Amino acid sequence: MKPVPAHLGSVLMLGVVSQLAQVVMLRELLMVFHGNELSIGIILAAWLIWVGVGTGVGTVLAERSERILALLALNAVVLLPVLASSVLASRALRGIFEVVPGAYLALTDIVLGSLLLLLPVGVLLGMQFVLLAKLWRLHDRNDDTLGAGKTYIGEALGNIIGGMAFSLLLVHYLNAFEVVVLAGLLVVLAVLWAGRRTTGMGAPLARTGRLALLGVLFVGILGFGALPILNDYGHRVQWRSIAPEHELLEVRQSRHGNISIARRDDQLSFYRSGHLMFAAAGPDAASAHFEEQEAAVFAHFGLTQHPYPKRVLLIGGGLRGTLGEILKHPVDRVDYVELDEVLTEAARHYLGTATLAALASPRVHLIHRDGRLFLKESRAQWDVILVDVPDPATAVLNRFYTTEFFAEARARLADGGLLVVNSVSTPGLRGRTVANRNATVRHTLARHFEQMLVVGDHSLIYLASDSPDAISAAPERLIERYRAREVRSQAFSPGHFALLLEPGQLARVNWVLRHHGRDPEAHRTGPPSPPLRLTAPLKPTVDDLESVNEHLFINSDFRPVGYFHTLMFWGDLTGSRTAEQLGRLLDVRPGWIALPAVLVLGLIALLRLTRQGRARAPDRQLAVGLAVFTTGLSTMAMQVALLFAFQSLYGFVYEMLGLIVAIFMAGLAGGTALTQARVRLRASLGLLAGVQGAIALFALLIALLLPLTAQLPSANAVFVCFAALTFIGGVLNGVDFPLTAAAFSAANQRPERSAGMVYGIELFGACTGAALASVLIAPILGIVACFLLAAIVNGTALVALMIARR
């Protein structure tokens, strides 16, 4: 039995620290970017770019030096303080941009900020891979790329360990600084252990290197107890750029994101991952605030539309006052679903007595669960379902505004039941982006409900039902019900009915939302001008209306365009460049991918024709490089798309992120190990072409099957399905690495350069795939289009390899 290599711990720790640092920085930057998942691909792309650059630096160092252990020691000594500094810098990142408090950063700011912040960590980790690959080659005493393959497997196993540890343990007990410092200390320990062995590993680790490692280890352990203080300081630095006029009261860590509570005068604001969830008056407030008035209007308009509301479902909003207003009606039971138990428990310490009394009411059944999953798996029937969640400014929130969710809600309504949804607006729906978003909500609802009425001004309330007489626009009827129930509210009066149901305003809002989104250029030109004389808002739609532009005005789980419109709307409201930059992406067409594919294939064919038997084969190297690039692009695009789809259906992406990546890495490690153990002719272009074809077919299969996952009956079934798809994607990616590394090495006989080139090119492909999938393809062309892209690019690589092989 061969002895365990002394550097195996360093290889595993490379995977562990890479996984932990990536997940921590992703969560920290999402806080800076207001929880906006559109930035996930940009963050991952920036990470992959710098890791790829790091492999290039590592390749140069590995080819010019035999002091690999000394280079690893220096890397580890620098890495630990860089990790901690990067977390702190992420919390100060927003302050370097000229953006007003509360405004979203523009796409260019997100790109620049991610690139600046992730540069040092990414380069250091990329260097480690090539250095460890050479260390393994020296240990095995060979001149091929098997050492790189073993390093690739070991890193993947470390990623699995790191992902599992974060999702199941670390996220619940340690703050961000403690996680990254712990990871950095483990890297230092692993290099110290590797330095104990000197034979077969190049030049030994000098005494100076050991002392430096011991010094960093000592300082890290000694200062570990002070990290909570640093964490608190970092949050306060960050808060000064998010809401400088607010006092940060508390930050709690949740599996769904960081919960922040801030106060301004007697108003309390509650944030999750930098995104405002709700605001409410504090316990000492003398009168109801604007936010409580909005909650009261939402609750009373919804409840008075139903003649006898006995069973009510409230998804979100209870902590801002909606729950207490509902209980003022003669309801028998309120099922209140709130996602985050940490948010509820934190709010109990700050909210007024009325909200606390509502939570303690025997008529209230508080359920801490994802509202979407609860509704899907429940078999109960409700008279009124109120969805009081923030606007769909993130993919998580967009799940409550999609056609799939509205279908699920309709199935759970009793006869004569009513669905009530709200969203932010502007007076008279003036503005292109606000009309785009709110028309999208209206048209998506209309797919499932015959009767609809939209009420409001600064905030719109959407009332939807299938019963002909369930919705009324007559204020007298609603006032009569309100008074008959003897409702008393400081934040609402019967006069609100007459004010918000004023015929002219009501007809205009409903006419605009009904007509906007039917012209192919509606998203650019804005809503049409209504006629001077308008029909009643509840009359059936006229027959001569054009059909709705589904591509841009029907919001679904697999094409979350409502989320995209909301980002543009908030960009307009806050004066940032977001709306302008995102608007340009709407002009992208799927057919544009044909041009680069044709150009690359034409170049490879030209190189093949001009080769004429020469030893050097640039067409083969280009074809292999294309295969590496497309494998990275397609697997990352599919991974991002699976994350988006998983989040739409399951809802727990923040908690499960580490676990999902661990599953992918398990497949990757298995695929690489299987190929190295079973495949002898690893430099075969025919075999590599077969792998490209398999990836393309796999992507097409997912594109066909993915929409069916929305019909799965339980959350566990959804998770098993996505875990299986993720694992298979990892296997295919893992099979590809040793084949392409061997093909490169056969051409240039330089194992370190081959390993570094393959790893770097794959990372650049993954970077491209992450950015395209999250920023452009998933929200605009649809999640399924990400898999079609993967199939096309890998099909292109297959053809390229067959041309070069002939």
Side-chain angles (χ1 to χ4, degrees), residues 461-697:
I461 302 173
Y462 301 80
L463 307 163
S465 178
D466 277 337
S467 298
D469 298 322
I471 300 175
S472 174
E476 306 84 16
R477 183 179 182 184
L478 303 179
I479 290 172
E480 181 181 353
R481 285 179 183 170
Y482 184 81
R483 287 175 172 164
R485 297 172 188 176
E486 298 182 348
V487 177
R488 298 290 183 270
S489 173
Q490 289 185 338
F492 188 86
S493 71
H496 281 86
F497 291 111
L499 180 65
L500 292 176
L501 292 174
E502 191 276 319
Q505 167 70 7
L506 189 66
R508 184 187 189 282
V509 167
N510 283 270
W511 189 94
V512 169
L513 293 180
R514 184 187 299 149
H515 287 74
H516 185 50
R518 300 180 185 275
D519 185 274
E521 298 296 314
H523 62 285
R524 294 191 185 92
T525 59
S529 299
L532 294 177
R533 299 186 63 182
L534 297 174
T535 58
L538 282 172
K539 276 193 173 182
T541 304
V542 294
D543 296 332
D544 60 349
L545 285 179
E546 299 289 337
S547 59
V548 175
N549 180 357
E550 295 189 11
H551 178 67
L552 291 176
F553 287 92
I554 297 296
N555 191 29
S556 72
D557 287 342
F558 295 103
R559 185 184 286 135
V561 70
Y563 152 55
F564 200 81
H565 286 318
T566 303
L567 291 178
M568 294 180 67
F569 168 44
W570 280 108
D572 269 354
L573 280 184
T574 57
S576 74
R577 303 186 305 276
T578 304
E580 177 187 353
Q581 293 174 353
L582 292 180
R584 295 188 187 125
L585 299 180
L586 295 176
D587 296 327
V588 174
R589 296 293 179 265
W592 290 3
I593 192 176
L595 179 61
V598 170
L599 289 177
V600 170
L601 291 178
L603 177 60
I604 291 175
L606 179 63
L607 292 173
R608 174 68 184 87
L609 291 173
T610 57
R611 188 201 311 168
Q612 298 178 348
R614 288 176 294 183
R616 287 181 57 83
D619 56 320
R620 292 188 178 184
Q621 292 196 44
L622 180 57
V624 173
L626 178 64
V628 177
F629 180 83
T630 56
T631 298
L633 186 154
S634 60
T635 51
M636 182 55 72
M638 288 192 290
Q639 188 65 24
V640 169
L642 285 172
L643 280 173
F644 269 55
F646 177 77
Q647 180 170 259
S648 294
L649 301 176
Y650 200 88
F652 291 162
V653 70
Y654 292 111
E655 177 194 10
M656 307 296 287
L657 187 59
L659 183 59
I660 293 170
V661 174
I663 293 171
F664 177 82
M665 287 299 175
L668 186 145
T672 305
L674 181 67
T675 303
Q676 295 211 147
R678 299 295 182 183
V679 178
R680 295 186 179 276
L681 298 176
R682 288 187 293 275
S684 167
L685 294 192
L687 183 57
L688 184 58
V691 173
Q692 302 305 304
I695 296 174
L697 290 174

Side-chain angles (χ1 to χ4, degrees), residues 210-526:
R210 291 195 184 92
L211 289 176
L213 290 169
L214 288 171
V216 170
L217 186 66
F218 176 77
V219 172
I221 294 174
L222 192 65
F224 200 83
L227 293 179
I229 300 173
L230 182 60
N231 184 57
D232 182 68
Y233 171 75
H235 281 306
R236 297 189 183 281
V237 168
Q238 184 177 54
W239 201 256
R240 286 198 290 269
S241 62
I242 294 177
E245 296 182 355
H246 288 66
E247 175 192 1
L248 182 62
L249 299 177
E250 185 178 356
V251 176
R252 295 195 185 190
Q253 187 163 297
S254 163
R255 59 181 181 167
H256 303 296
N258 287 335
I259 304 298
S260 304
I261 305 168
R263 178 175 61 199
R264 182 182 180 184
D265 299 326
D266 56 357
Q267 175 186 343
L268 296 167
S269 299
F270 295 79
Y271 293 78
R272 179 163 58 227
S273 295
H275 186 77
L276 178 64
M277 300 305 296
F278 67 94
D284 301 326
S287 61
H289 281 216
F290 176 74
E291 293 80 7
E292 289 180 298
Q293 292 173 3
E294 280 194 332
V297 170
F298 178 70
H300 296 308
F301 256 94
L303 270 293
T304 53
Q305 289 287 346
H306 197 284
Y308 305 105
K310 296 301 180 183
R311 289 179 59 91
V312 176
L313 171 63
L314 173 63
I315 299 178
L319 300 176
R320 76 166 181 146
T322 307
L323 180 62
E325 299 297 325
I326 291 172
L327 293 177
K328 293 173 182 177
H329 292 258
V331 297
D332 294 336
R333 176 185 175 114
V334 180
D335 292 312
Y336 170 37
V337 183
E338 183 63 61
L339 172 66
D340 201 338
E341 186 174 3
V342 174
L343 176 62
T344 305
E345 292 306 311
R348 289 182 188 273
H349 297 283
Y350 299 98
L351 296 179
T353 55
T355 301
L356 297 177
L359 290 171
S361 171
R363 291 186 290 165
V364 173
H365 294 259
L366 177 59
I367 303 155
H368 285 115
R369 199 172 179 214
D370 177 73
R372 178 79 183 266
L373 287 180
F374 173 79
L375 190 69
K376 182 175 183 177
E377 296 184 353
S378 176
R379 292 296 172 264
Q381 297 280 309
W382 291 278
D383 298 315
V384 181
I385 298 176
L386 299 105
V387 183
D388 193 12
V389 299
D391 280 12
T394 68
V396 170
L397 296 171
N398 188 73
R399 303 164 56 245
F400 296 98
Y401 295 85
T402 64
T403 182
E404 292 85 356
F405 173 73
F406 292 151
E408 293 164 0
R410 179 188 176 189
R412 302 271 63 83
L413 286 172
D415 291 340
L418 190 79
L419 174 65
V420 189
V421 184
N422 65 356
S423 69
V424 173
S425 184
T426 58
L429 280 171
R430 289 178 175 82
R432 174 175 55 90
T433 56
V434 67
N436 287 345
R437 198 280 304 280
N438 290 329
T440 299
V441 176
R442 193 265 175 205
H443 292 316
T444 307
L445 269 170
R447 283 296 179 90
H448 303 283
F449 296 94
E450 293 294 330
Q451 293 292 312
M452 285 191 58
L453 182 66
V454 185
V455 178
D457 191 5
H458 290 86
S459 179
L460 295 183
I461 302 173
Y462 301 80
L463 307 163
S465 178
D466 277 337
S467 298
D469 298 322
I471 300 175
S472 174
E476 306 84 16
R477 183 179 182 184
L478 303 179
I479 290 172
E480 181 181 353
R481 285 179 183 170
Y482 184 81
R483 287 175 172 164
R485 297 172 188 176
E486 298 182 348
V487 177
R488 298 290 183 270
S489 173
Q490 289 185 338
F492 188 86
S493 71
H496 281 86
F497 291 111
L499 180 65
L500 292 176
L501 292 174
E502 191 276 319
Q505 167 70 7
L506 189 66
R508 184 187 189 282
V509 167
N510 283 270
W511 189 94
V512 169
L513 293 180
R514 184 187 299 149
H515 287 74
H516 185 50
R518 300 180 185 275
D519 185 274
E521 298 296 314
H523 62 285
R524 294 191 185 92
T525 59

Side-chain angles (χ1 to χ4, degrees), residues 73-223:
L74 179 60
N75 188 294
V77 167
V78 176
L79 180 63
L80 194 149
V82 162
L83 287 169
S85 300
S86 296
V87 174
L88 184 60
S90 70
R91 297 186 182 177
L93 180 64
R94 186 181 169 88
I96 72 173
F97 298 104
E98 293 183 1
V99 57
V100 299
Y104 285 18
L105 291 177
L107 276 180
T108 50
D109 296 336
I110 293 174
V111 171
L112 179 60
S114 300
L115 287 172
L116 288 174
L117 190 69
L118 298 176
L119 186 157
V121 177
V123 170
L124 288 172
L125 293 176
M127 289 170 58
Q128 280 196 32
F129 178 83
V130 182
L131 296 175
L132 289 168
K134 179 171 183 177
L135 207 59
W136 209 311
R137 184 177 66 80
L138 294 173
H139 174 272
D140 291 345
R141 295 183 174 86
N142 58 41
D143 293 320
D144 57 22
T145 58
L146 281 175
K150 293 176 181 179
T151 306
Y152 198 66
I153 296 171
E155 183 192 10
L157 292 174
N159 272 277
I160 296 170
I161 296 169
M164 297 286 287
F166 184 83
S167 292
L168 303 179
L169 183 65
L170 301 180
V171 70
H172 300 289
Y173 298 105
L174 299 182
N175 63 52
F177 287 96
E178 290 170 337
V179 171
V180 297
V181 169
L182 177 62
L185 290 173
L186 291 174
V187 171
V188 171
L189 283 171
V191 176
L192 275 171
W193 180 263
R196 295 173 64 249
R197 294 277 298 276
T198 58
T199 57
M201 298 175 67
L205 182 60
R207 182 182 178 186
T208 305
R210 291 195 184 92
L211 289 176
L213 290 169
L214 288 171
V216 170
L217 186 66
F218 176 77
V219 172
I221 294 174
L222 192 65

